[in-house]
Amino acid sequence: MQTYLRGRDLIGDLDFSKEEVETVLEVAFDLKRKRALGEPTPYLRDKVLAMLFFFSSTRTRGSFEAGMAHLGGHAAFIESRTTQIAHGDTPKEIGEIFGRYYDGIAIRHVDWGVGNKYITEVAKYSRVPVLNMQCDIYHPFQCLADLMTIFEKKGRDLRRKKMVVSWAYAASYQKPISVPQSLILQMPRFGLDIVLAHPPEFRLMPEIMDMAREQARKYGTGFEVVDDMDEAFKDADIIYAKSWGALVHTTDTEEGARLLQKYSNWITDERRMALAKPDAIYMHPLPADRNIEVTDGVMDGPQSVVYDEAENRMHAQMAVMALTMA
Ligand code: CP
């Protein structure tokens, strides 16, 4: 096991260089192959990961917990409301104290304007790696799994391939903007031309947009923003369409709900998928609002790779944990 990432945090997508991300994915593919063959992977025997959740999860919890077990270690699930955080434990206490008990600290905190700052502050005081299981700005582990899935389905040479990162309507709740932000930062490094599609009110953070444009310039890839889902889908190789909340409006108000309703036709359906290339893949990090955000036909259809994508969360996370915590 290569360990040159030992001790490193992963909070933002660009914390690891392109070469380091390539190493992570090589290790992830090796771990996936070994798991398929039933070979043991005890790279983190006797190591323990703290998983501190301020927000609910299906995949993130399951994949980190199972991943640590497959690496021979243990993951402790800690729900923030069961801690003394509300009674005075600051990020300093969490970083200092958990850093002494555990070999890594993974945190999910998606509260707008709070989550990323919280995780960064814990990392300041922690002597062990701090891993971002999703904050208000980034979802780096989702993005690594997405990249791994794209390599599997589209090969390693992604130059001139068109990836659509599109907003979609959802009724369930105002989802964080971290997934699209991570995608537009990481994917240009690997040659993908990005078309970002969203209604005008659902833009991403201006500073992340600037960073994404800079990445695209650096790697000579395309970066375009449109406000028309049909136009975006045309001739695409990869469709990644999901809901996210507005930066300035809240959908909890009457005005916000009206605004959201205006775009209820932003759904990935069979007609729209037909605008993309015939071999285009459909991606979504899940959970998705079925038949609101995406039709059953697309989600369960031959172009959908959502379950491979969810599986790859575990392999990618195992790779990062093994490389940083070994
Ligand atoms: N995609 C993702 O992060 O899923 P969960 O919210 O279920 O962890």
Side-chain angles (χ1 to χ4, degrees):
M1 177 60 56
Q2 303 162 71
T3 54
Y4 75 86
L5 289 173
R6 181 183 289 158
R8 293 271 296 279
D9 301 324
L10 180 57
I11 299 175
D13 293 85
L14 305 184
D15 289 357
F16 289 176
S17 68
K18 177 177 185 260
E19 293 68 30
E20 288 167 343
V21 170
E22 283 166 345
T23 298
V24 165
L25 292 193
E26 285 320 311
V27 173
F29 279 117
D30 187 53
L31 288 164
K32 186 171 184 174
R33 186 184 59 78
K34 287 190 166 111
R35 181 157 168 74
L37 294 172
E39 284 180 29
T41 53
Y43 305 119
L44 292 181
R45 201 161 44 208
D46 303 327
K47 303 279 185 186
V48 187
L49 175 75
M51 299 187 303
L52 176 57
F53 280 89
F54 289 82
F55 188 70
S56 56
S57 164
T58 301
R59 281 144 292 272
T60 303
R61 180 189 173 179
S63 54
F64 268 97
E65 194 163 330
M68 272 306 285
H70 296 315
L71 290 167
H74 172 73
F77 173 67
I78 304 155
E79 211 279 328
S80 64
R81 283 170 304 182
T82 66
T83 68
Q84 299 284 28
I85 288 171
H87 302 147
D89 279 338
T90 70
K92 181 174 182 178
E93 275 76 54
I94 298 299
E96 279 284 358
I97 297 168
F98 279 8
R100 296 169 194 223
Y101 298 159
Y102 298 101
D103 302 288
I105 305 172
I107 304 174
R108 167 171 280 197
H109 197 330
V110 301
D111 288 358
W112 178 242
V114 177
N116 185 267
K117 286 194 184 83
Y118 184 89
I119 297 172
T120 304
E121 193 67 6
V122 171
K124 201 164 110 187
Y125 294 103
S126 169
R127 60 183 67 181
V128 299
V130 170
L131 307 177
N132 177 1
M133 295 194 292
Q134 188 178 22
C135 68
D136 47 332
I137 302 176
Y138 307 111
H139 198 347
F141 288 98
Q142 179 64 53
C143 194
L144 290 174
D146 295 336
L147 184 57
M148 186 176 176
T149 310
I150 291 170
F151 280 177
E152 285 177 336
K153 307 297 177 189
K154 293 287 171 192
R156 300 292 178 110
D157 184 3
L158 299 172
R159 276 169 305 169
R160 305 277 73 87
K161 290 217 184 318
K162 175 177 171 180
M163 177 173 189
V164 174
V165 177
S166 177
W167 185 86
Y169 173 74
S172 55
Y173 71 106
Q174 187 146 323
K175 300 181 186 188
I177 58 175
S178 50
V179 170
Q181 297 203 144
S182 285
L183 292 171
I184 66 171
L185 289 176
Q186 188 71 271
M187 296 306 171
R189 287 171 148 186
F190 294 89
L192 286 164
D193 292 333
I194 300 291
V195 174
L196 176 66
H198 60 76
E201 298 87 347
F202 290 86
R203 65 185 194 277
L204 302 178
M205 290 168 67
E207 46 276 52
I208 296 291
M209 292 295 287
D210 288 345
M211 285 162 70
R213 284 195 187 93
E214 180 52 35
Q215 287 294 104
R217 254 194 307 275
K218 183 172 170 188
Y219 291 97
T221 56
F223 188 84
E224 201 188 334
V225 184
V226 299
D227 62 3
D228 182 323
M229 210 179 184
D230 283 2
E231 184 191 333
F233 273 46
K234 278 180 198 147
D235 299 319
D237 297 279
I238 300 162
I239 301 291
Y240 201 119
K242 77 171 297 293
S243 170
W244 65 78
L247 277 186
V248 288
H249 301 268
T250 168
T251 49
D252 296 340
T253 63
E254 231 173 80
E255 188 207 345
R258 256 199 313 277
L259 164 75
L260 192 60
Q261 201 56 40
K262 208 164 89 179
Y263 301 112
S264 60
N265 63 346
W266 281 61
I267 180 172
T268 305
D269 57 12
E270 289 80 343
R271 182 192 67 77
R272 283 209 168 99
M273 280 306 289
L275 298 172
K277 288 190 179 152
D279 64 348
I281 56 172
Y282 169 76
M283 304 183 74
H284 194 295
L286 305 180
D289 286 16
R290 277 178 178 264
N291 300 310
I292 295 173
E293 206 174 339
V294 51
T295 60
D296 280 342
V298 171
M299 183 104 143
D300 301 323
Q303 288 166 284
S304 171
V305 299
V306 296
Y307 297 124
D308 292 333
E309 193 182 349
E311 176 188 338
N312 285 337
R313 289 290 305 273
M314 187 176 77
H315 306 300
Q317 287 155 200
M318 286 173 68
V320 174
M321 290 190 289
L323 287 164
T324 59
M325 292 167 59

